[in-house]
Amino acid sequence: MILRFTPKQIKVLMFAVIVIALIYTGIYLLFSSKWDSEQAVLSSSLQVEEQQVQQLQKKIEAVEEQTLSSTILLQEKLPVDPLVEQLILDLEKAETISDSFISSMSFSDGTFSVENTLEQYQQFLEKDQARSERSESLTEDKEESQEESTTEQSEQTKEETALTTLGLEQVEVTLNVESPTFFEMKEFLKQIELLPRIVRVKALTFAGIPELTSEDQTINTLKYTVVISTYYFPGLEDLKDELPPLETPEPSKKKNPFLPSTEEEQEVEESESSNTSSNSSTNVIEHTVQAGETLYLISQKYYQDRSGEKKIRDYNDLSSNYLVVGQVLKIPLD
């Protein structure tokens, strides 16, 4: 059976095919544009979320750094280790600033054994701050100061009792100090109280300088004994890696004989030793420049030619041939 289409049917069939193709193309374009828009929205939202994640990471890193710095600052006041080395350096610094001399120091550890509450410890900090403010404006007579010292001793006992809550331990240091006058002693105690670490002066014992009765009498130094105490909290072992760095003075270009020398130091030592040996093997004389003398005449005197000008200039680190009457030159003679 052979199908035969009339021209009219062929036209209708072609028109139907074209319409179906157009419908399919429209549907495809409609959905593809929708998919493209959804993909663009998803990619933009993904970028926004990635930016938010980066910002959160930066905030977390900033918080970690801030936490680390804050713990280091807190440990400058109350460390988790005794840090006796840093305490000794701080005492030596106070000794230098106040022009005093620590003749001896002894250390002792102490552990609190009385239980108390955190509120009492906070009250202790408030009382300590109020007492320091009160001591600055204290102008009362001797009787009132004695009564207040008795009150402070009782408060000190309560404060040490309050410290037991957190399991704090203390390092007590007994210092025998010599100062020229009372003012240097006052400066020494002031420097101790100004330390960033919590350090308390527990006792001060001294005898006054005897009264001068003659011009030939020498002024004796003021000798006194100071007992100070500082605290540390060994319970937080996780914070030992965040201890504040040891603040040591500059080495003043001194070499530690107990440490191995680096390659650079060995090269410097070898060059210095070679220079020393060459200087020892070279005969060097001194010549004082007289009026009318020049570097040429001096070279002719010792070397009989002009070759000595450069030797004299290099050996004495001269930038030119200009000489001054009375100037002392070192003349190396081979």
Side-chain angles (χ1 to χ4, degrees), residues 63-117:
V63 170
E64 290 178 351
E65 292 178 358
Q66 184 177 4
T67 304
L68 178 60
S69 62
S70 62
T71 54
I72 291 177
L73 292 176
L74 288 175
Q75 289 202 71
E76 288 181 356
K77 296 182 177 293
L78 184 64
V80 297
D81 263 6
L83 294 183
V84 177
E85 296 85 356
Q86 183 63 61
L87 181 60
I88 293 175
L89 290 173
D90 292 336
L91 293 175
E92 291 180 351
K93 182 179 179 180
E95 175 188 25
T96 304
I97 294 176
S98 63
D99 195 18
S100 301
F101 174 70
I102 300 176
S103 57
S104 65
M105 63 174 69
S106 59
F107 294 83
S108 62
D109 293 333
T111 305
F112 298 104
S113 59
V114 185
E115 297 181 355
N116 216 313
T117 61

Side-chain angles (χ1 to χ4, degrees), residues 14-34:
M14 291 177 62
F15 178 76
V17 171
I18 293 172
V19 170
I20 292 172
L22 291 174
I23 292 173
Y24 178 79
T25 304
I27 293 172
Y28 175 78
L29 293 175
L30 178 65
F31 282 98
S32 63
S33 62
K34 184 179 180 181

Side-chain angles (χ1 to χ4, degrees), residues 295-331:
L295 198 60
Y296 169 75
L297 295 177
I298 297 174
S299 176
Q300 288 289 342
K301 180 179 179 180
Y302 292 100
Y303 300 96
Q304 286 77 41
D305 55 23
R306 301 194 63 172
S307 63
E309 292 183 23
K310 187 176 185 307
K311 292 182 180 180
I312 299 172
R313 188 168 56 247
D314 294 342
Y315 199 86
N316 292 271
D317 295 331
L318 300 177
S319 58
S320 64
N321 293 343
Y322 178 74
L323 300 177
V324 180
V325 177
Q327 182 178 0
V328 179
L329 299 175
K330 293 182 179 180
I331 311 298

